Amino acid sequence: MSALKKYLICKTCQESNLYCNDKEIQCASCGKVYRLKSGVVYATEPTPSVGSKYARQSARKNWSKWRQSNYEFLKERLVNFTNESIVIDLGCGESPFGDILERFDNLFKVDFTDYEGVNLVCNLTENLPIKSDSMDIVIASNTLEHLPDTDGFLNECHRILKSGGSIIITVPFLIPLHQEPFDFLRFTEYQLEYLLKKSGFSEIKIKPLSNFFEIYQSTQSDFLNASINHQKTALSKLLLKVFRKIQLIMTSLMFSFFESVEDRRYPKGYGIVARK
């Protein structure tokens, strides 16, 4: 918490005149009190966890190709930043990509929920209790779709970044509903560019993540599984399981022919980098 305190402000009055003890932080300007427990600052009370067991570093061997593409994109975009960069991970969840970020000397993890490792529990649809022009890098990995209002969030990301600082975003497009009921939005590349420009960002680069064949493969698998679960008799379930096995073998054989087929209209999601 001691490292984070340097960058904290009161989310109510935006002042940095804060006093803390073992149990709370109080704003000397407006009197707002924030709970402090085990080094975690609570700018709001935590929401219940709706995370997936696969959204963890320990579950990497079971990651989907979509999550793996997120990991590779983030790793590639962070490689040129120094260890001294000040990084804030907004909507960090259970830190599935934590090993990429551990090298940074100043890394702050923020989420609605007090997952292990979170430094600041905060409502990302409200003002962030972080000083303006203080961060080198803002990371929002699979965060935007969980916010019913993205304008305020992106404005806050722009505010807390230093001039020349970078925001790195990953966001899904063609994936199923997840972490319900907190799954609100899907974005096209045009909407993403519009929103980032609207919030003042420039040098916006948007990259489709994953590929056309993966969308076909994952949709096919979901459809077959749902069809089996829908059956009412053991025989029909058995027959469909046999059909699923045959179909999945055929799909695997197709992979060598169609892996490279691309169609930009069908991205699994996007990776975005922009600068302030």
Side-chain angles (χ1 to χ4, degrees):
M1 203 285 292
S2 57
L4 176 62
K5 186 176 182 295
K6 177 181 177 182
Y7 302 101
L8 284 176
I9 59 172
C10 175
K11 73 172 186 178
T12 301
C13 69
Q14 304 288 291
E15 294 294 330
S16 58
N17 193 12
L18 305 176
Y19 294 92
C20 68
N21 55 39
D22 293 338
K23 294 183 178 180
E24 63 184 28
I25 297 175
Q26 183 170 17
C27 175
S29 299
C30 71
K32 177 72 175 177
V33 175
Y34 302 93
R35 186 162 64 92
L36 180 63
K37 182 180 180 181
S38 301
V40 180
V41 178
Y42 290 80
T44 188
E45 288 305 304
T47 61
S49 171
V50 291
S52 163
K53 64 181 180 180
Y54 299 113
R56 303 170 186 167
Q57 184 72 47
S58 60
R60 186 173 176 179
K61 65 180 181 180
N62 295 314
W63 279 357
S64 65
K65 291 181 180 178
W66 162 246
R67 195 173 297 279
Q68 185 65 40
S69 69
N70 279 244
Y71 179 89
E72 296 299 333
F73 178 81
L74 189 59
K75 183 178 181 180
E76 181 182 318
R77 293 306 181 274
L78 287 172
V79 70
N80 292 323
F81 290 95
T82 67
N83 294 349
E84 291 74 33
S85 300
I86 305 167
V87 183
I88 191 164
D89 188 356
L90 299 175
C92 64
E94 297 186 74
S95 301
F97 311 139
D99 64 324
I100 302 175
L101 304 176
E102 287 171 358
R103 67 180 177 89
F104 292 107
D105 298 330
N106 292 285
L107 169 64
F108 306 114
K109 299 180 181 181
V110 183
D111 203 277
F112 291 93
T113 304
D114 50 353
Y115 295 111
E116 183 178 354
V118 166
N119 308 106
L120 172 63
V121 176
C122 180
N123 186 337
L124 299 180
T125 65
E126 300 176 350
N127 293 336
L128 298 173
I130 302 293
K131 289 181 179 179
S132 299
D133 308 301
S134 62
M135 300 287 124
D136 294 308
I137 307 168
V138 168
I139 295 171
S141 177
N142 293 283
T143 299
L144 289 183
E145 74 270 23
H146 298 295
L147 306 175
D149 171 25
T150 55
D151 283 1
F153 175 75
L154 290 174
N155 288 340
E156 282 293 278
C157 290
H158 189 272
R159 178 184 67 79
I160 67 176
L161 273 173
K162 296 177 182 177
S163 178
S166 296
I167 185 170
I168 304 175
I169 298 169
T170 57
V171 63
F173 184 60
L174 291 175
I175 73 168
L177 289 172
H178 61 288
Q179 295 185 341
E180 299 174 68
F182 304 109
D183 188 5
F184 299 108
L185 299 168
R186 294 294 183 270
F187 306 85
T188 67
E189 60 184 294
Y190 308 106
Q191 177 73 347
L192 290 164
E193 183 176 18
Y194 168 78
L195 290 171
L196 286 163
K197 284 183 176 178
K198 184 179 177 183
S199 294
F201 289 98
S202 61
E203 300 180 40
I204 301 165
K205 298 178 181 179
I206 303 174
K207 177 183 178 181
L209 298 182
S210 193
N211 59 51
F212 198 14
F213 185 82
E214 185 194 332
I215 294 168
Y216 167 77
Q217 190 177 35
S218 61
T219 305
Q220 178 198 69
S221 179
D222 287 346
F223 173 77
L224 291 171
N225 290 335
S227 297
I228 291 169
N229 292 334
H230 185 70
Q231 301 306 308
K232 292 182 171 57
T233 68
L235 179 60
S236 59
K237 284 182 182 289
L238 177 61
L239 290 173
L240 272 178
K241 285 180 180 179
V242 172
F243 175 79
R244 178 179 63 182
K245 186 68 174 179
I246 296 170
Q247 189 66 38
L248 292 177
I249 291 172
M250 293 297 295
T251 301
S252 297
L253 292 173
M254 289 171 60
F255 183 75
S256 59
F257 294 98
F258 299 111
E259 178 190 10
S260 60
V261 175
E262 294 293 345
D263 189 327
R264 57 180 295 277
R265 299 172 302 166
Y266 291 92
K268 193 88 172 186
Y270 296 99
I272 307 101
V273 177
R275 291 171 65 88
K276 177 176 178 178

